[in-house]
């Protein structure tokens, strides 16, 4: 029995290794045009190459990202979403390309938006930091915006994979969620940095495990945040319902006006915070 348990554990481990490696390879293949220019960018950064070579690689990355990197990553998140939600036996190949096809347009258009913002903020950052010493504070502000924008990408891909939602709402909620719920997102960022550091020590991980591992960890964090927000919304809805019932009871038996009764039992309308707006938007939209 013990031997069978060990063999079963080894089989499950090998199965998960195959899933991670398979999805990662699909991501590498589908985003290969962007990855080609990324590798060239690192090569051109070495001595012997000109600034024009680096600029051409940057242009190549910017052009290829919306068409290849963003759809490939959205499809990868579609696969890891199934794993996080307990559907580990789905076909990696079919799930990946179904997500690629269904989410291509949204992820591509979102890629144009993010790429444009990244380029604008990066240019502003380099100009303020290198050409205007007196305005380096603005450069630091741009760097903070760049970091928030990068972190929001985790939410962006997770929402595309998880929701039926308009693109403008996905982008808006992805950025707002990064602002109002930063700790879980920054834990994802730290985990990503740790995995990338390990990848620099063992480059083979880039091909077989790194992207799928980061995507799994990012969606795991996002889904935990989503479940917590959903639970809070349900509790708030029950509390509001109880308050309304109390207001109705007071209205029947009391002599005060409805407005006075509402104020007395604290059921008056309160301004909705940014956090509540995001929570309502995410919990009311239909999941895939």
């Amino acid at each position: 029995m013990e031997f069978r348990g060990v063999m079963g554990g080894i089989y499950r481990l090998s199965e998960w290794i195959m899933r991670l490696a398979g999805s990662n390879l699909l991501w590498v293949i589908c985003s290969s045009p962007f990855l080609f220019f990324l590798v060239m960018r690192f090569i051109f950064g070495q001595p012997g190459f000109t600034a024009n070579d680096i600029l051409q690689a940057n242009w190549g990355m910017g052009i290829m990202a919306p068409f290849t990197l963003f759809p490939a990553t959205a499809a990868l998140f579609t696969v890891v979403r199934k794993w996080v939600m307990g559907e580990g036996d789905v076909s990696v190949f079919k799930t990946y390309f179904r997500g690629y096809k269904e989410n291509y347009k949204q992820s591509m258009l979102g890629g144009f938006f993010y790429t444009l913002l990244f380029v604008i903020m990066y240019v502003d950052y380099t100009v303020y930091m290198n050409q205007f010493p007196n305005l380096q504070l603005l450069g630091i502000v741009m760097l903070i915006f760049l970091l928030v924008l990068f972190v929001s990408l985790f939410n962006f891909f997770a929402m595309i994979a998880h929701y039926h939602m308009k693109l403008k709402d996905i982008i808006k909620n992805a950025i707002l969620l990064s602002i109002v719920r930063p700790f879980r997102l920054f834990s994802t960022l730290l985990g990503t940095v740790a995995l990338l550091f390990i990848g620099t020590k063992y480059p083979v991980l880039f091909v077989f495990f790194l992207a799928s591992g980061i995507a799994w960890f990012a969606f795991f964090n996002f889904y935990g945040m989503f479940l917590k927000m959903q639970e809070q919304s349900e509790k708030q809805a029950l509390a509001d319902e109880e308050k309304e019932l109390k207001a109705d009871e007071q209205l029947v038996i009391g002599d005060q006006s409805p407005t006075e009764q509402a104020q007395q039992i604290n059921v008056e309308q309160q301004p909705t915070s940014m956090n509540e707006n995001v929570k309502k938007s995410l919990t009311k939209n239909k999941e895939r």
Side-chain angles (χ1 to χ4, degrees):
M1 292 295 292
E2 184 178 346
F3 175 76
R4 291 178 62 183
V6 172
M7 292 302 296
I10 294 175
Y11 174 76
R12 287 192 295 272
L13 177 61
S14 63
E15 197 174 39
W16 274 106
I17 289 174
M18 290 298 295
R19 289 170 183 168
L20 287 168
S23 59
N24 202 94
L25 280 172
L26 290 173
W27 178 84
V28 169
I29 292 170
C30 291
S31 57
S32 56
F34 171 84
L35 296 177
F36 169 78
F37 285 105
L38 179 62
V39 172
M40 296 305 295
R41 172 64 178 79
F42 281 110
I43 294 175
F44 291 157
Q46 303 300 316
F49 294 95
T50 65
N52 187 55
D53 294 326
I54 296 175
L55 182 61
Q56 289 180 0
N58 289 340
W59 271 107
M61 289 167 57
I63 293 171
M64 288 293 106
F67 295 105
T68 60
L69 178 66
F70 277 78
T73 307
L76 182 60
F77 269 73
T78 302
V79 176
V80 300
R81 172 182 178 268
K82 295 290 187 181
W83 299 344
V84 172
M85 297 182 69
E87 301 178 48
D89 295 330
V90 296
S91 169
V92 170
F93 187 87
K94 290 182 179 179
T95 304
Y96 184 92
F97 282 105
R98 184 170 62 248
Y100 191 92
K101 180 181 178 181
E102 291 177 353
N103 299 322
Y104 186 87
K105 183 178 180 181
Q106 274 197 330
S107 57
M108 180 189 67
L109 294 176
F112 282 123
F113 173 81
Y114 270 98
T115 301
L116 182 61
L117 276 185
F118 272 120
V119 170
I120 292 173
M121 290 183 182
Y122 178 74
V123 170
D124 286 344
Y125 167 73
T126 54
V127 168
Y128 286 135
M129 296 301 289
N130 298 324
Q131 299 184 19
F132 298 99
N134 295 331
L135 297 177
Q136 287 187 350
L137 181 60
L138 290 177
I140 295 174
V141 172
M142 285 296 127
L143 181 61
I144 294 173
F145 286 160
L146 273 170
L147 184 60
V148 172
L149 194 65
F150 174 75
V151 171
S152 74
L153 277 173
F154 295 117
N155 287 328
F156 173 77
F157 289 120
M159 288 181 190
I160 280 186
H162 193 62
Y163 289 110
H164 289 289
M165 191 186 295
K166 293 180 179 179
L167 178 61
K168 64 177 183 178
D169 294 328
I170 291 176
I171 294 175
K172 179 185 71 174
N173 287 316
I175 296 174
L176 289 179
L177 195 60
S178 303
I179 297 172
V180 301
R181 295 292 180 96
F183 297 108
R184 189 178 288 268
L185 267 297
F186 277 106
S187 70
T188 300
L189 180 62
L190 291 175
T192 299
V193 171
L195 289 172
L196 288 173
F197 177 78
I198 295 172
T200 60
K201 302 297 181 181
Y202 306 97
V204 69
L205 294 178
F206 280 101
V207 179
F208 293 103
F209 300 108
L210 195 64
S212 55
I214 291 173
W216 180 88
F217 182 61
F219 191 85
F220 178 83
N221 254 347
F222 169 83
Y223 193 61
M225 179 169 51
F226 165 76
L227 292 177
K228 186 175 181 180
M229 293 173 69
Q230 191 175 47
E231 181 183 357
Q232 291 173 347
S233 293
E234 291 173 355
K235 289 181 179 179
Q236 185 62 43
L238 287 174
D240 291 342
E241 187 177 348
E242 290 179 0
K243 289 180 180 180
E244 289 177 2
L245 288 174
K246 289 181 180 179
D248 291 339
E249 292 174 359
Q250 292 291 331
L251 183 60
V252 172
I253 63 175
D255 296 327
Q256 296 173 302
S257 67
T259 302
E260 292 172 336
Q261 293 167 11
Q263 292 175 347
Q264 182 176 343
I265 60 175
N266 194 30
V267 295
E268 68 273 9
Q269 292 293 325
Q270 297 291 339
T272 306
S273 66
M274 185 188 299
N275 183 44
E276 289 298 321
N277 283 330
V278 176
K279 189 188 301 181
K280 289 179 180 179
S281 178
L282 295 185
T283 54
K284 76 177 182 180
N285 278 281
K286 184 179 179 181
E287 299 175 40
R288 292 186 182 272

